[in-house]
Amino acid sequence: MVAASKMRKAQDRMSSSRPYAEKMLQVISHLAHATPEYRHSFMSAQRPHKTVGYIVVSSDRGLCGGLNSNLFRRLAAEVKAHQTAGVDVAFCAIGNKALGFFKRFGGQVLGQATHLGDQPHIEDLIGTVKVMLDAYESKQIDAIYVISNSFVNTMTQRPLIRQLVPISGEAQDPLPSHWDYIYEPDARTVLDALLTRYIESLVYQAVVENSACEQAARMVAMKSASDNAGNLIGELQLVYNKARQAAITQEISEIVSGAAAV
Amino acid sequence: MATTMRVDIVSAEGAIHSGPATMVYATAQLGEVGIAPRHTAFISRLKPGDVRVENEHGEQEHFYVSGGMLEVQPSVVTVLADTAIRARDLDEAAAMEAKRRAEDTLAGQVAKFEYAKAQVELAEAIAQLRAIEKLRKMKGR
């Protein structure tokens, strides 16, 4: 019940954060067309991978079925594939469960953000995202992925890996008409600020979506737990009824024998 | 009817305002700007401050933004508002904080209170206390 209403709210948050990112993407792709001579490092072509970074989005609390374990299993498979290819991996943990996972299994963790609660705020993520972006800029890592659960429906949540940086090329068609913005102060500053915010908003969306998944998974897990307890409840009900009946019978016989004595 | 433009104020956490307007005032990085319909395409960073939206009845609505982006096209004005106060050193501090926390937890020096662990321990302690109390009662009889 609680999880159901929380899930509804999380879904609302999911859809309300979408216009921002969409709008930003429009502006960014326009800017990229308008200033072809300036290529931000986030938009440059893929460099050969030596180290890749993963932002792992998990839940803070447990009791939500296989949600986190599925995510970590997917991540482990991915990491194994990278390691056999001789690529190093660095992580950034969002949520308690991810942190616990890395504590147990090791791994280079660059940043963390936990205790985001049911209403994650973008302030809580700025730092963690910046750690990763800085590492990318200083060439410590060559690509950043975000791994989180994607909300298919209430019953199904699927771990999903998305590439954040470098921003994978959207259809780069030439613009139909030539017009350009007046920039204040200049195109680069504007583009830099936009890109950082865009990436932050993508991570934020992943976090919000993951929290919707968490609630949905918890709802289903709790439902199946009470279904499984159904048998037990039935048996105990029988015992209870017997005990109750015995108590009543005893009381009646006491009253009757009392009356007979008088 | 006066010409209007659509004004959208959106932040990463949700849409704040959307509707027609005849004039928009905002604090851009190089000074206050007033945007009327059919303004040429314009993009600027915003400083923390007021964004005022005037609708066709001459009523003004105020929104406070703690920075962000202003994007203007002839018939659409979009304010991409920040929900957090942003500054280079603040961001830096947040990044350092995130890093430090990660290092702390992984180095085993638990600076922060670990709720999950603590709760389990608490539950155990309470169960033990209860057991002791029960034992005492039974002995007392």
Side-chain angles (χ1 to χ4, degrees), chain B residues 2-110:
Chain B
T3 43
T4 58
M5 57 194 164
R6 205 180 77 229
V7 178
D8 293 319
I9 303 181
V10 289
S11 78
E13 291 176 19
I16 298 171
H17 172 84
S18 178
T22 54
M23 198 75 187
V24 176
Y25 305 92
T27 334
Q29 195 162 35
L30 301 183
E32 176 123 341
V33 290
I35 310 286
R38 302 207 203 115
H39 191 286
T40 184
F42 169 76
I43 192 162
S44 170
R45 289 172 69 168
L46 288 179
K47 286 205 280 194
D50 226 9
V51 173
R52 280 174 293 150
V53 179
E54 194 172 297
N55 65 13
E56 61 259 71
H57 310 298
E59 294 154 359
Q60 284 199 348
E61 272 192 274
H62 290 256
F63 300 94
Y64 176 77
V65 294
S66 47
M69 287 284 174
L70 175 72
E71 191 233 353
V72 179
Q73 281 180 37
S75 61
V76 190
V77 173
T78 315
V79 178
L80 300 162
D82 286 344
T83 45
I85 295 170
R86 305 297 295 267
R88 183 171 279 273
D89 28 334
L90 271 182
D91 284 11
E92 205 73 57
M96 294 294 286
E97 174 69 19
K99 227 179 194 163
R100 194 189 56 73
R101 263 184 322 208
E103 281 161 7
D104 277 6
T105 3
L106 293 164
Q109 338 164 315
V110 189

Side-chain angles (χ1 to χ4, degrees), chain A residues 7 11 150-158 212-213 216-217 220:
Chain A
M7 186 187 79
Q11 273 179 298
S150 78
F151 190 89
V152 183
N153 55 41
T154 318
M155 300 297 289
T156 327
Q157 296 88 32
R158 208 167 283 140
C213 290
V220 174

Side-chain angles (χ1 to χ4, degrees), chain A residues 13 16-20 23-24 26-27 31 96 99 102-103 107-115 120-124 126-128 130-131 134 140 179-185 189-191 193-194 196-197 200-201 204, chain B residues 6 8 10-15 28-31 33 39-45 67-69 71-73 76 78 80-86 88 91-92 94-96 98-99 101-103 105-106 110 112-115:
Chain A
R13 234 170 277 133
S16 65
S17 69
R18 226 165 253 156
Y20 182 75
K23 196 73 208 174
M24 272 202 168
Q26 276 174 25
V27 178
L31 283 177
N96 254 345
L99 199 64
F102 292 126
K103 249 192 209 164
Q108 190 191 353
V109 180
L110 299 179
Q112 69 162 105
T114 52
H115 300 293
H121 289 295
I122 208 154
E123 293 100 288
D124 306 327
I126 291 172
T128 23
K130 191 167 163 54
V131 168
D134 284 351
Q140 278 176 35
W179 57 277
D180 201 358
Y181 291 105
I182 301 172
Y183 298 101
E184 205 177 276
T189 328
V190 170
L191 193 55
L194 266 177
T196 317
R197 279 171 180 70
E200 278 163 9
S201 82
Y204 176 74
Chain B
R6 205 180 77 229
D8 293 319
V10 289
S11 78
E13 291 176 19
Q29 195 162 35
L30 301 183
V33 290
H39 191 286
T40 184
F42 169 76
I43 192 162
S44 170
R45 289 172 69 168
M69 287 284 174
E71 191 233 353
V72 179
Q73 281 180 37
V76 190
T78 315
L80 300 162
D82 286 344
T83 45
I85 295 170
R86 305 297 295 267
R88 183 171 279 273
D91 284 11
E92 205 73 57
M96 294 294 286
K99 227 179 194 163
R101 263 184 322 208
E103 281 161 7
T105 3
L106 293 164
V110 189
K112 203 168 174 175
F113 192 65
E114 275 190 278
Y115 275 101

Side-chain angles (χ1 to χ4, degrees), chain A residues 56-72:
Chain A
V56 185
V57 182
S58 72
S59 69
D60 268 336
R61 287 178 299 155
L63 290 183
C64 46
L67 188 77
N68 288 317
S69 7
N70 284 342
L71 189 79
F72 296 145

